[in-house]
Amino acid sequence: MRYYIIAGEASGDLHGSNLIKEIRKTDAAASIRCWGGDRMQQAGGDLVKHYRKLAFMGFWEVAKNLGTILKNLQFCKDDITKYKPDALILIDYPGFNLRIAEWAKQQGYKIIYYISPQVWAWKENRVHKMKQCIDKMLVILPFEKEYYKNKWNWEVDYVGHPLIEVVEEAQLAPDSKPLAKKPIVALLPGSRKQEILKKLPIMLEVSRMFPACQFIVAKAPGQEDSFYESVLAMYPNVSSVRDATYSLLLQSRAALVTSGTATLETALFGVPEVVCYKGSNISYQIAKRLIKVKYISLVNLIMDKPVVKELIQNELTPGNLRKELDALLTNEATQQQLREDYSNLRQLLGQGGHASARAAAIIAEFLQKK
């Protein structure tokens, strides 16, 4: 079979690479052309474009780069037309991928979407078009299957969450060298400069209140060392690591984490965490009106209850963070409750089985029927 896979971000590259490995187990002669990153290329995909050239986030950045985005869309359509794949597999990245799906459906291609856009949170009206142009939808959050069935009368497949297998692999890896002699608190302040500058200074202030701990910042791949050096210089018990977030989480007693996939990764590693969110007031007010969910962290959304503390906008202060971090480090009842909730979370996310293998099996079955 000939597969054309499109992922537009680092997480899509990770999950896409594991999907490619599983596809090759069932279809050793598979020809795979992809948009993604180094991991997908290493897994055997013929890389057309790297996600670093695709990731435009935020209204202003998208508007500023609209010409590039439109050129990428046209290039992608031309490339698909030349390649003539048996299946088009789209991984998350909805702004780009849903436009490709709509076009590809008109051309008669078979379209599989792996990792649903988060339409249950916002832009719900996208589902009308998704139903028309997606032949097979594979979801990774347990409540999504019910959401699509009950609200949209759409049968989708829940495959489990691919992060389970990624975290399990990291936990089985040989122990890395100790990052500190003192108890470690991980700081995961996000990937974009703007969000790091909003949240990291508040996290760093808290480090002064826990001199017995070593605070370690996980640097984002896209940010220079010099950027962090200037921010961290004034804090004696704060250091940083690059390309070692999982090693850091394996050794951490607690973590302060920006909302996003990192909240789920931290929970799957079993690390007690506080979820931190702070944006510009205008962006926050707009988001509050557009986004229709009870929680901002995936952990709480999946469990449908406040498993981890969320400090949002004006609640994110050094004083509030100190109180929550102290409870995570010293309160045995808090720690025990978290252990139970994290165990239930892992069980819930593993119900679909090994996500990448399950997805590959469903794709193979779907293509054989057609």
Side-chain angles (χ1 to χ4, degrees), residues 1 49 52 121 133 136 151 154 176 249 305 308 312:
M1 289 280 189
K49 231 169 232 231
R52 280 196 295 264
C133 60
K136 180 61 89 173
K151 186 147 192 178
W154 188 9
S176 51
L249 289 173
K305 68 174 191 174
V308 294
I312 304 170

Side-chain angles (χ1 to χ4, degrees), residues 258-307:
T258 290
S259 56
T261 307
T263 64
L264 189 54
E265 288 174 304
T266 303
L268 290 174
F269 275 101
V271 181
E273 66 181 304
V274 184
V275 177
C276 308
Y277 175 82
K278 194 178 184 76
S280 75
N281 193 48
I282 293 171
S283 296
Y284 174 66
Q285 293 302 331
I286 292 170
K288 205 163 71 162
R289 285 156 179 76
L290 289 177
I291 296 173
K292 305 173 291 183
V293 288
K294 282 191 281 187
Y295 307 106
I296 61 164
S297 72
L298 278 171
V299 176
N300 293 345
L301 278 168
I302 292 163
M303 296 294 285
D304 196 26
K305 68 174 191 174
V307 171

